[in-house]
Amino acid sequence: MAQTSSAHRVSHFFAKGTDPDELSKALSTSRTSLTAHPAANNDIAFECEFASAGPITLGLCRYEGEMRIKRQSEADNIIILLPRYGRLVLEASAGEILSTPARGVIVEASQDGSLHFLEDRQHLAIAIDQKELRNQLTQILEAPVPGSLEFAREIDLTAGPGMSLMQLATTLYAGLTRDAPLRRAPLALSSLSNGLMQLLLETVPHRLSSEMARTGSSPIPRHVKRAIEFMRANLSAPVTMQQLAAACGVSARTLQQSFRQFKMTTPMAYLHHLRLEAAHRELIQANPGQTVADIALKWGFIHLGRFAADYRARFGELPSHTLRTRAPGGSQ
C-alpha cells in the first residue's frame, strides 16, 4: 500500500482482478514486497481501494478464496486489519492469531509470518509509518524513541478503544476516497490522521505504554528539569557529564539513574537528541549557501558520516535531502 510524504498529499489507487501476481503487485510498495499464494486448485478474486495521506494509508479490501499473503521484505510500518467479515490467521514465529469480525490484528513489518485467508474476507486495512508514530511519542515523552514499538497484536473491536479505532478509521477512509470533501481540507485531514495515531498510541498496549502513563502522572524531578534547561542553553557548546551534574547539584550517578527512569535514556544521549532536533530545524530553515557540514559542526557533530546516519535514523531521510527540499529556495 503505497504511502506519500508527511505533507498529507492525498493519493488514490484501485485494484481488481483474479490474478495472484496482480494482487501481489497491488499490495507491494517500493519498500515492502508481498506475494499472494492461492491454496491448491483454488481460484481467487480481489477488489481493493486504497487512499494515502501522509504517513497513513487506508484500504478497503475484499478477497474471495483461500490464500496466503506473505511478506518478502521488511519495512518500518505497522498494518492494522479491521475485519468486516471473514476469518484469517496471522502466522508468525511468536504464534498464530485468528482474526474475525470481532477481533482485529496488528502486524509489525519486522515480524516473520504471513496472512492465511481461510474464506471470503473483507477488511479495512491501515498502514502507518512507524517513524511518524515514534515522532509523536518523542513529543509526548520528550525523549528519543528508537526501534519497534511492539504493539499488542490483537484488538477487541466490540467495545471501547477498538470500536473507537474502527469508527475513526472508517470516517477517515470515507473522507479520502473518490471526491470526498476531506481530500480538499488539509487541516481537517491532518487533525484526523494525527488523532488516529494518537488513539492508537494511547489505547493499544505497546512497548512504551507504561512510560506514557508515567509521563502523565509522575512529575519529573527538579534536577532532571535543570539538566535539560542547561542542555538547551548550551546546545552548541561542549558539555560533559560532570558539568551537567554540577549544574543540577547532584552526582553524575544520580543524574544517570533519573534520566533512565524518567526519560528512558542517558543524559548524554538526551543531549544528542536535542542537538539532532536543533540541526533538523536549522536544515529546514537554512539560508542560501549554508551546507550540511556547516550546520552539523555548529551543533557539535564532528563526524559527518555518523551525523548523517543518526539523522536518518531519527528523521527518515539524509540531512542533505532535508536541506535540498525543505530549506527556503530548495526544490520542492
Side-chain angles (χ1 to χ4, degrees), residues 222-240:
R222 182 173 298 177
H223 60 271
V224 174
K225 292 182 179 179
R226 286 177 176 172
I228 294 173
E229 291 170 359
F230 185 85
M231 291 177 190
R232 292 188 184 279
N234 296 276
L235 273 184
S236 60
V239 175
T240 67

Side-chain angles (χ1 to χ4, degrees), residues 223-224 227 241 244-245 248 250-259 267:
H223 60 271
V224 174
M241 187 65 199
L244 272 177
C248 303
V250 298
S251 69
R253 180 180 176 84
T254 296
L255 193 60
Q256 289 272 14
Q257 292 174 337
S258 297
F259 263 80

Side-chain angles (χ1 to χ4, degrees), residues 91-134:
E91 301 172 332
S93 56
E96 295 185 348
I97 297 176
L98 176 65
S99 173
T100 68
R103 181 187 298 179
V105 293
I106 295 181
V107 184
E108 294 209 36
S110 59
Q111 296 172 336
D112 296 329
S114 61
L115 298 174
H116 182 188
F117 291 75
L118 302 175
E119 58 196 8
D120 293 356
R121 163 93 168 187
Q122 185 184 68
H123 59 227
L124 181 62
I126 313 169
I128 306 178
D129 188 341
Q130 279 213 68
K131 175 175 68 70
E132 204 63 35
L133 288 171
R134 287 194 294 267

Side-chain angles (χ1 to χ4, degrees), residues 45 47 60-65 82-88 99-103 117-124 157 166:
E47 183 174 327
L60 184 61
C61 299
R62 179 176 58 82
Y63 302 95
E64 296 179 5
L82 305 175
R84 300 201 172 170
Y85 62 77
R87 299 173 301 149
L88 68 72
S99 173
T100 68
R103 181 187 298 179
F117 291 75
L118 302 175
E119 58 196 8
D120 293 356
R121 163 93 168 187
Q122 185 184 68
H123 59 227
L124 181 62
L157 301 178
M166 172 71 93

Side-chain angles (χ1 to χ4, degrees), residues 94-297:
E96 295 185 348
I97 297 176
L98 176 65
S99 173
T100 68
R103 181 187 298 179
V105 293
I106 295 181
V107 184
E108 294 209 36
S110 59
Q111 296 172 336
D112 296 329
S114 61
L115 298 174
H116 182 188
F117 291 75
L118 302 175
E119 58 196 8
D120 293 356
R121 163 93 168 187
Q122 185 184 68
H123 59 227
L124 181 62
I126 313 169
I128 306 178
D129 188 341
Q130 279 213 68
K131 175 175 68 70
E132 204 63 35
L133 288 171
R134 287 194 294 267
N135 285 342
Q136 288 216 11
L137 265 179
T138 294
Q139 298 302 316
I140 294 170
L141 300 176
E142 297 184 337
V145 177
S148 172
L149 297 181
E150 300 175 16
F151 280 94
R153 298 166 69 194
E154 301 179 62
I155 309 174
D156 180 2
L157 301 178
T158 61
M163 182 177 289
S164 298
L165 185 65
M166 172 71 93
Q167 292 170 342
L168 183 55
T170 300
T171 298
L172 184 57
Y173 175 77
L176 288 174
T177 52
R178 309 300 171 90
D179 294 324
L182 193 58
R183 294 168 62 93
R184 300 182 296 278
L187 293 179
L189 173 58
S190 178
S191 179
L192 280 174
S193 298
N194 289 332
L196 190 149
M197 289 188 286
Q198 193 73 22
L199 180 65
L200 184 69
L201 289 170
E202 291 183 358
T203 62
V204 178
H206 54 80
R207 177 171 60 88
L208 298 175
S209 291
S210 59
E211 281 75 9
M212 285 186 68
R214 187 167 55 202
T215 297
S217 60
S218 300
I220 298 175
R222 182 173 298 177
H223 60 271
V224 174
K225 292 182 179 179
R226 286 177 176 172
I228 294 173
E229 291 170 359
F230 185 85
M231 291 177 190
R232 292 188 184 279
N234 296 276
L235 273 184
S236 60
V239 175
T240 67
M241 187 65 199
Q242 289 68 31
Q243 287 175 314
L244 272 177
C248 303
V250 298
S251 69
R253 180 180 176 84
T254 296
L255 193 60
Q256 289 272 14
Q257 292 174 337
S258 297
F259 263 80
R260 289 192 182 279
Q261 179 179 357
F262 290 93
K263 293 298 183 182
M264 303 168 296
T265 189
T266 66
M268 300 313 291
Y270 192 86
L271 176 59
H272 183 77
H273 157 72
L274 291 179
R275 285 173 169 165
L276 280 175
E277 294 282 348
H280 179 62
R281 288 192 297 271
E282 186 157 350
L283 284 165
I284 291 175
Q285 302 168 1
N287 295 319
Q290 277 189 291
T291 67
V292 170
D294 293 337
I295 294 170
L297 291 172

